[in-house]
Amino acid sequence: MIQLQWQLWHPLHLAPKKPFGNFSRPLLSFLSPHTLLSCTNSKSSLSSKVSFKCFCHKTEKTHEASSQGFSVLAADAPWDHGSLWSTMAFYMFSLHIPLSFGGLSVVAHVLHEPILDPQIEAISLLGAQILELIAALVLLQSTAKPQYKFMDFFKANKVSKERSWLLASAVGFGFLFMLVFLTSFLADSVVGPKAINNPVLKEILVSSNISKAACVLVYCIVTPVLEETVYRGFLLASISSTMKWPSAVLISSAIFSAAHLSGENSLQLFIIGCVLGCSYCWTGNLRSPILIHSLYNAMTLMITFLS
């Protein structure tokens, strides 16, 4: 709310016949449709002066999310649109690819072992993911607008507090499970069945209890927090401020799928990204997609271990 005040004093004998008419034209020329103008006049018999006071009350559209519609994401993202893609490219090529896909190779080179022990592999993977998470959070904080603090990334706005993120998580996980099952069935019918079991992950899970614990920490805690912060909290929130939310969900999901460098799973990863993005748009709370992501990864680990 912006309040402006003009005060004009005219001596009575010099005052124009229509003082307000002459004064209001240049004043009203710059007022927007959201501006309310109220004017009062008063006459003093002692000073023989007429006082005109005009109060301009301008109600601007704030950047808070509207309660109408599906998405409650704020119109003002914590990051400038001009630096969005450069920040995303820096994360992808300087943090994500080197740590997620090259971290184990570095460990094997340092230890002079061409093939890592499953337990060492699990611990190394956990360390690489934690390092990537910390580096990503530092990057997002350093590129955010000055008025935004670190914990603001995880806070829900006023509108999103009216929507249950737990309910959205339950519905989203059920919907995700149904979509993944359906797409897997269709893919098996068209392309042919493929093995559900991941032999590398299976070997790590059955090697030791330490490996199991490391895999649970990686896939159910660190990775969901990392990926949802980057692809939903940063990317989706930023591009949704410049376009309609369905387009923003599709674009962020496509990038999320491509970032995994897995051609055979690209469709499922895209669907997962869409469900997680819709959950974040509806709740405005990162806890919802993080929980869905964690539950899905936990289900994958359980299927791999038991299969």
Side-chain angles (χ1 to χ4, degrees), residues 125-287:
L125 183 60
L126 175 60
Q129 288 292 285
I130 293 177
L131 181 60
E132 183 178 345
L133 173 60
I134 295 174
L137 293 176
V138 172
L139 173 64
L140 296 183
Q141 176 62 66
S142 61
T143 56
K145 297 174 183 177
Q147 65 269 28
Y148 287 93
K149 298 180 181 180
F150 172 77
M151 292 307 299
D152 292 339
F153 304 153
F154 302 95
K155 286 184 179 179
N157 56 47
K158 295 180 180 179
V159 180
S160 64
K161 290 180 180 179
E162 302 174 359
R163 301 183 176 185
S164 173
W165 66 272
L166 284 174
L167 176 62
S169 301
V171 174
F173 178 72
F175 194 64
L176 175 61
F177 178 81
M178 181 183 65
L179 286 178
V180 170
F181 177 80
L182 180 61
T183 54
S184 299
F185 177 79
L186 294 177
D188 292 345
S189 301
V190 176
V191 183
K194 66 176 183 178
I196 298 178
N197 186 20
N198 185 333
V200 177
L201 182 59
K202 174 79 172 182
E203 183 182 6
I204 294 175
L205 288 173
V206 300
S207 61
S208 66
N209 292 330
I210 295 178
S211 299
K212 291 187 184 69
C215 286
V216 171
L217 289 175
V218 170
Y219 291 103
C220 299
I221 297 178
V222 180
T223 297
V225 173
L226 168 62
E227 293 186 347
E228 296 315 307
T229 300
V230 173
Y231 296 101
R232 255 60 67 178
F234 166 64
L235 181 60
L236 177 56
S238 297
I239 60 179
S240 64
S241 63
T242 62
M243 63 181 69
K244 294 182 178 179
W245 73 266
S247 301
V249 168
L250 293 177
I251 293 174
S252 62
S253 300
I255 297 175
F256 170 75
S257 176
H260 285 77
L261 303 181
S262 177
E264 61 179 3
N265 297 318
S266 58
L267 178 59
Q268 286 190 359
L269 289 169
F270 176 76
I271 293 174
I272 293 172
C274 289
V275 174
L276 296 173
C278 290
S279 172
Y280 182 53
C281 286
W282 191 80
T283 61
N285 194 329
L286 270 180
R287 286 178 288 185

Side-chain angles (χ1 to χ4, degrees), residues 13-27:
H13 64 282
L14 296 178
K17 293 182 179 180
K18 297 180 179 180
F20 179 69
N22 294 335
F23 176 68
S24 64
R25 183 170 300 174
L27 174 63

